[in-house]
Amino acid sequence: MNTNVNINSEANTNANKQRIQIFDTTMRDGEQSPGASIDSGRKIVIARQLAKLGVDVIEPGFAISSPGDFAAIQHISREIQTVEIAGFARCVKADIDAAVRATVDAARRRLHLFISSSDIHLNFQIRKSREQVIQIARDMISYGKQFVDEIEFSAMDSTRSGRDFVIELVEAAIDSGATVINLPDTLGYAMPHEVEDLFRTVRRQARGADRVRFSAHCHNDLGMAVANSIAAIRGGATQIEVTVNGIGERAGNCSLEELVMAIETRQEALQAETDIVQSEIFETSRLVSRTMRFPIAFNKPIVGRNAFQHESGIHQDGLLKNRNTYEIMDPEAMGIPRSMIILGKSSGRHAIKHRLSEFGIIVSDEQMQGVYEKFIAAADEKKIVTDSELIRMAGEATETQPDPFVLVDLQVISGTQRGRVASVTIRDDSGQERSYSAVGEGPLEAVIRCIQQAIPAEAEFEDLELHSLSTGEDAYGEAVVTIVYDGQRCRGTSIHRDIVLAAAQAYVAACNQAIMGGAARPAADQQAAASEQSAV
């Protein structure tokens, strides 16, 4: 009897959750980030991924702005038939005409019209009176309604506008045929309680508000875009406008991945849910970052490099016993490779021993002491100790070569008038050394071609990150190489003052990880299963 009560209670709770539509404007508002433009050919690639991610609406660009944007919107409208496409336009006939033509082949489409509502915009930018703005909104919504049933109206800078005027403008928009009302925090100025109150008040006082849906579009100038979007949901918004990685003008927009995971993680508190496919979050983030050449901050929530990594020995010990001790989300559910333990000077012996075991390396307590002493000395100098360095330390302690392959020597010749030539010497685990040479358009390409001849692992070179870890002539550079091997992503890291050498070592480390990880994976899986069983 008690079981039935619990099941019914859970069903009722789920039924009460409000589904929040995710409106993605990465390719329109996000592209307005300085230095983050996308050519029309790459927009379709992002649109396909957004469709896989499960967004409800895609705003692919601003049709009137350029022939390239028009073509991209047209292409996306024709190909992406499972997602609603929004044509963005000012309250100007030429904008509306361009948006209508660009989206004509979409299976589902809407017009997204906007005009300013704050006095500072009216007086100094568009130089219109409030009465003129209301009339323009009425006329242009009515004009757009001839072509499209679904019209979203945005009262730009709503949070800095007079409340009574916003209500009057919203009533005019609804009366003219708008079906979605967006109240943007265009300058990221509002506080969460102000946003919640704005939505509650407009929904309660504007005539016809019960016939339309409400949307929020929040910027991050004060770092509150996600908090303000959640406040809008509490105030009755059922659509949130977001960008992947939070890109956008100035400090950016509400981050898609942060908002979605806040809703997912705190469903019971918010009584809300989305249809986003969590497993596609990480891939979407990486794609947008690479395509727009817009790096992701290390400490970026959800998708940042450090978001699920831990260096503190206390945290590492807790994680090894139960992941829930220091993690509130499962990174693997979002497609994020599991690499929670970062080895630095705060790490303890348990974490070091655990990392070595992942590569099938077992050390005695006596050998562990030697490894730990070398580890602390290296961590004091470089802050982070890479997997390849740790494996080398273990090899010295056990007088073996745990790594399948070791980069012994590297030479590169570069010049302005010729191709780059590289030669490398690689030692395998039998102790035999062989040399290889290759050419490439750049020194790194030449080096990678050399190494690929030496290592019989058919791995796809997927990504390279280069970071400066300090300043000055003696600065260390960190290289992070990601490869795909046997369907698994493997990442190698190396730190050196020579960035080409660091990249080469990182590539070898990634290949070694792929080879050793494949061999050690069954044992690691058994160990993980045993740990989970004992926890139960």
Side-chain angles (χ1 to χ4, degrees), residues 116-130 133 156-157 160:
S116 293
S117 60
S118 66
D119 287 339
I120 193 166
H121 279 205
L122 269 58
N123 294 334
F124 294 98
Q125 185 181 17
I126 64 175
R127 299 185 184 279
K128 303 286 184 184
S129 67
R130 288 182 170 185
V133 165
M156 189 163 71
D157 207 18
R160 297 198 303 165

Side-chain angles (χ1 to χ4, degrees), residues 310-526:
H310 309 262
E311 186 185 334
S312 163
I314 295 172
H315 287 212
Q316 291 174 350
D317 182 61
L319 284 163
L320 292 173
K321 293 171 179 173
N322 187 315
R323 291 177 181 174
N324 291 330
T325 52
Y326 289 100
E327 285 186 352
I328 61 171
M329 294 170 278
D330 179 6
E332 291 170 309
M334 293 176 273
I336 301 172
R338 165 63 66 178
S339 56
M340 62 184 182
I341 302 296
I342 292 298
L343 298 179
K345 63 182 182 180
S346 301
S347 300
R349 288 174 173 80
H350 289 299
I352 296 170
K353 201 166 189 175
H354 174 79
R355 178 60 60 82
L356 287 173
S357 72
E358 290 181 331
F359 294 104
I361 301 171
I362 306 300
V363 295
S364 66
D365 291 342
E366 184 179 346
Q367 291 167 336
M368 185 64 221
Q369 182 59 33
V371 172
Y372 186 71
E373 289 173 359
K374 292 177 182 293
F375 171 87
I376 291 298
D380 269 336
E381 180 183 3
K382 298 181 181 180
K383 174 66 175 172
I384 299 296
V385 177
T386 64
D387 288 340
S388 57
E389 290 174 314
L390 180 63
I391 291 169
R392 177 181 54 78
M393 294 172 190
E396 292 173 356
T398 58
E399 297 183 349
T400 62
Q401 179 186 310
D403 266 335
F405 298 95
V406 173
L407 179 62
V408 176
D409 185 53
L410 179 150
Q411 297 289 330
V412 181
I413 300 174
S414 293
T416 58
Q417 301 297 322
R418 66 194 75 181
R420 281 64 176 168
V421 181
S423 64
V424 303
T425 300
I426 300 286
R427 183 173 63 242
D428 62 25
D429 51 8
S430 70
Q432 190 168 7
E433 295 184 2
R434 292 185 176 88
S435 296
Y436 305 87
S437 61
V439 297
E441 292 187 14
L444 186 57
E445 181 182 17
V447 168
I448 297 302
R449 286 179 175 176
C450 291
I451 298 171
Q452 287 173 337
Q453 296 175 56
I455 300 179
E458 294 184 4
E460 175 191 350
F461 189 109
E462 184 181 66
D463 195 33
L464 167 67
E465 300 173 37
L466 293 173
H467 309 285
S468 176
L469 298 184
S470 54
T471 58
E473 295 178 358
D474 61 345
Y476 279 100
E478 179 190 40
V480 182
V481 170
T482 304
I483 65 171
V484 178
Y485 175 75
D486 194 24
Q488 299 289 325
R489 278 192 175 88
C490 298
R491 177 189 286 178
T493 304
S494 182
I495 299 170
H496 202 278
R497 290 192 175 98
D498 184 328
I499 59 172
V500 175
L501 177 56
Q505 290 175 334
Y507 180 67
V508 172
C511 291
N512 281 334
Q513 184 182 114
I515 295 167
M516 297 173 71
R521 195 172 295 132
D525 290 344
Q526 290 175 9

Side-chain angles (χ1 to χ4, degrees), residues 18 20 181 183 192-205 209 212-216 227-240 270 272:
Q18 175 67 56
I20 304 301
I181 298 297
L183 303 177
H193 69 278
E194 295 170 336
V195 172
E196 181 176 351
D197 182 63
L198 172 65
F199 276 84
R200 286 191 188 279
T201 302
V202 174
R203 288 179 60 245
R204 184 174 61 249
Q205 295 185 13
V212 300
R213 288 172 288 139
F214 280 79
S215 177
N228 283 339
S229 297
I230 290 172
I233 292 172
R234 291 174 62 85
T238 57
Q239 175 182 282
I240 303 296
L270 295 173

Side-chain angles (χ1 to χ4, degrees), residues 169-246:
L169 184 57
V170 166
E171 287 179 341
I174 295 171
D175 186 56
S176 302
T179 54
V180 180
I181 298 297
N182 182 33
L183 303 177
D185 185 27
T186 307
L187 274 297
Y189 175 76
M191 296 290 169
H193 69 278
E194 295 170 336
V195 172
E196 181 176 351
D197 182 63
L198 172 65
F199 276 84
R200 286 191 188 279
T201 302
V202 174
R203 288 179 60 245
R204 184 174 61 249
Q205 295 185 13
R207 289 188 300 272
D210 57 329
R211 303 197 307 268
V212 300
R213 288 172 288 139
F214 280 79
S215 177
H217 180 113
C218 299
H219 279 260
N220 205 38
D221 297 70
L222 294 176
M224 289 186 286
V226 174
N228 283 339
S229 297
I230 290 172
I233 292 172
R234 291 174 62 85
T238 57
Q239 175 182 282
I240 303 296
E241 304 185 7
V242 298
T243 60
V244 176
N245 299 332

